[in-house]
Amino acid sequence: MAKTKTVYICQKCGFQTSKWMGRCSDCGEWNSFAEEAVGPKGASGKSKGKKSAPIPLSKVQAEDAGKRSSTGSDEFNRVLGGGIFPASVVLLAGEPGIGKSTLLLQMMLWLQQKGHNALYISGEESLQQIKNRADRLRAPQKDVLVLAETNVAEIEYQLETLKPDVVVVDSVQAIYNPDFSGAPGNVGQVRECAARLFQMAKERNFTLFLIGHVTKEGSVAGPKILEHLVDVVIYFEGNTQQHRIIRAIKNRFGAANELGVFEMHNDGLRELTNVSNLFLNPHQGPVVGSSIVCSYEGSRPLLVEVQTLVSKSNYGTPQRTVSGFDQRRLSLILAILEKYCQQDFGYHDVFVKVAGGLRLNDPGIDLGVATALYSSLQEQALDTDAIYVGEVGLGGEVRPVSFIEQRLKEAEKMGFRQAYLPPQNMPGGSDRKKFKIMLSPVTLVSELLLPVR
Ligand code: TYD
Ligand code: MG
């Protein structure tokens, strides 16, 4: 009898090796390898020469984007790139308890009502638990088909029989293939089951939503290993008491980085369409160390408060702590402030926090972060009527950003009176008359710090 071959797979990143290792050489995680059997899959792997043949690109029928269906929520639609793209595969990931099942059950109830053939497969909760949740959601109709199943082969059978057009699998870590060794949730199982469901969705033309739990240190295989496979990847990002933010980090059918904001209520998630106020300072007064930036997220500008705290350090190595902002960019901005603006952070702990649990990657907020840091170090509050837009370059220069017009209009709409912006972004001639907000070009970061000093 042929010996079963086994490999060791890192449960964090999916790296494979033939020998056990204490630390993954790819992602650096300790003690993350699990042994998994790899066996022949049955098929010979030889082509029968029938299934696929190339055709000229001009003969390929374009997929009709007009056939997208609504999820019942404008915010969710926007994150998906304008509704559900037919036969797409979407991964919705987030921490346990953040609202993944709620969001998708709400969507399924809506879709069923609109005449879709929706199937909700739960591998984690009993049918009664799903019913309880649906009762909380107060949906008028509850005819969505629900199935409690974890065996991927059984799921496949049901999909063939029921022929749904939208399917939710909650969660991909609960599904397993009995032909494979390894417990549900380990890398091999997650990858195999997701790939099988993906293939079914494409062949049988249904839209598939996969729920994935974000890894809690070393426990189960994270959704990271599925990101390349699926069409759309959405993460639950911010989580304040009530707000839930979802963001598409990959979208084959729309803009990535698009975000949607919801509020968790007793009867489910409600979308928030006017979010501009949400990430601003509710106190309305000047606060030391805080500035307002205008970040461009997906297809809309968002005004957000960035808070910083610079305080004397009691230990040898000062702390640099960020929340919602990139640590390396903070180091860069601090280095620029030290070198070109003579601000000394060497003996200070520095904290940067983006309001509302948002994570901002737009480099256009650099200037706002730099001024907020300066404000905290010098204990001088900044002008609360002003917004700061601009990327900061290595020479301390302020670099242009994209979508300046939309950013300025949004600031104007929210009642801001002054905008500091890169000189290259200054609207020229007659365009300037379009703005009521006062525009001040800033060439170097140091220029901006002088009037406050
Ligand atoms: P859930 O969707 O079960 O989270 P996930 O699937 O991501 O693990 O949501 C869990 C939380 O949401 C739970 O703490 C209860 C709360 N919740 C409400 O506040 N209101 C509601 O209507 C529902 C259904 C849940
Ligand atoms: Mg759940």
Side-chain angles (χ1 to χ4, degrees), residues 3-315:
K3 210 175 144 208
T4 322
K5 205 178 152 219
T6 62
V7 291
Y8 293 87
I9 301 183
C10 170
Q11 300 295 297
K12 190 173 177 209
C13 70
F15 180 72
Q16 283 190 19
T17 146
S18 57
K19 284 205 180 97
W20 187 84
M21 290 199 287
R23 186 176 189 217
C24 177
S25 59
D26 204 39
C27 70
E29 184 75 3
W30 286 96
N31 209 11
S32 61
F33 281 89
E35 188 179 14
E36 282 173 27
V38 282
K41 277 196 178 160
S44 69
K46 277 197 187 141
S47 165
K48 296 190 181 73
K50 278 182 208 150
K51 253 192 149 175
S52 59
I55 52 167
L57 192 54
S58 57
K59 299 241 166 73
V60 179
Q61 272 207 331
E63 284 178 273
D64 187 3
K67 282 197 195 132
R68 285 178 186 255
S69 350
S70 169
T71 56
S73 144
D74 290 341
E75 285 286 287
F76 197 9
N77 287 346
R78 210 161 34 79
V79 173
L80 286 170
I84 305 170
F85 198 91
S88 58
V89 178
V90 181
L91 174 69
L92 178 70
E95 286 168 21
I98 200 161
K100 301 180 292 294
S101 307
T102 307
L103 181 67
L104 291 188
L105 186 60
Q106 255 174 295
M107 178 193 77
M108 293 298 258
L109 288 164
W110 158 275
L111 287 172
Q112 184 69 37
Q113 216 180 321
K114 295 286 162 197
H116 286 267
N117 189 2
L119 173 64
Y120 192 103
I121 301 168
S122 178
E124 300 196 335
E125 291 167 315
S126 66
L127 298 180
Q128 288 71 26
Q129 281 171 307
I130 305 175
K131 173 81 163 69
N132 287 347
R133 184 178 289 117
D135 286 343
R136 280 184 83 168
L137 301 176
R138 294 205 199 108
Q141 272 185 27
K142 299 191 189 77
D143 292 333
V144 169
L145 287 178
V146 283
L147 171 71
E149 183 56 70
T150 51
N151 184 334
V152 75
E154 294 298 325
I155 291 174
E156 216 165 68
Y157 171 77
Q158 292 294 346
L159 293 173
E160 267 166 36
T161 334
L162 299 167
K163 298 193 173 44
D165 61 355
V166 195
V167 177
V168 167
V169 174
D170 185 359
S171 70
V172 70
Q173 278 119 337
I175 310 296
Y176 77 102
N177 181 346
D179 298 339
F180 270 57
S181 67
N186 79 16
V187 172
Q189 286 283 11
V190 168
R191 244 198 318 228
E192 154 71 13
C193 294
R196 210 155 143 183
L197 291 165
F198 179 89
Q199 208 175 349
M200 283 215 81
K202 297 295 172 185
E203 279 170 6
R204 287 169 210 286
N205 225 16
F206 61 82
T207 304
L208 174 65
F209 285 83
L210 292 171
I211 290 182
H213 294 294
V214 166
T215 326
K216 279 247 161 87
E217 263 349 293
S219 53
V220 281
K224 272 260 171 281
I225 54 164
L226 300 180
E227 282 178 5
H228 70 282
L229 175 77
V230 300
D231 300 317
V232 184
V233 181
I234 299 174
Y235 273 88
F236 266 92
E237 188 167 282
N239 177 17
T240 57
Q241 265 187 343
Q242 252 193 332
H243 301 126
R244 302 284 185 274
I245 299 162
I246 55 171
R247 190 196 289 270
I249 63 151
K250 164 183 173 180
N251 194 344
R252 286 187 182 144
F253 314 112
N257 236 359
E258 199 72 75
L259 63 84
V261 189
F262 295 85
E263 243 177 355
M264 186 59 103
H265 287 267
N266 276 337
D267 56 354
L269 286 160
R270 271 185 231 158
E271 63 180 351
L272 280 180
T273 36
N274 187 11
V275 294
S276 289
N277 262 328
L278 209 62
F279 308 107
L280 293 177
N281 174 9
H283 316 298
Q284 298 289 323
V287 182
V288 168
S290 134
S291 72
I292 309 295
V293 297
C294 190
S295 183
Y296 208 80
E297 299 298 315
S299 63
R300 68 177 166 189
L302 211 55
L303 291 161
V304 186
E305 182 188 0
V306 172
Q307 296 180 321
T308 66
L309 176 67
V310 179
S311 72
K312 273 242 151 51
S313 170
N314 290 321
Y315 305 102

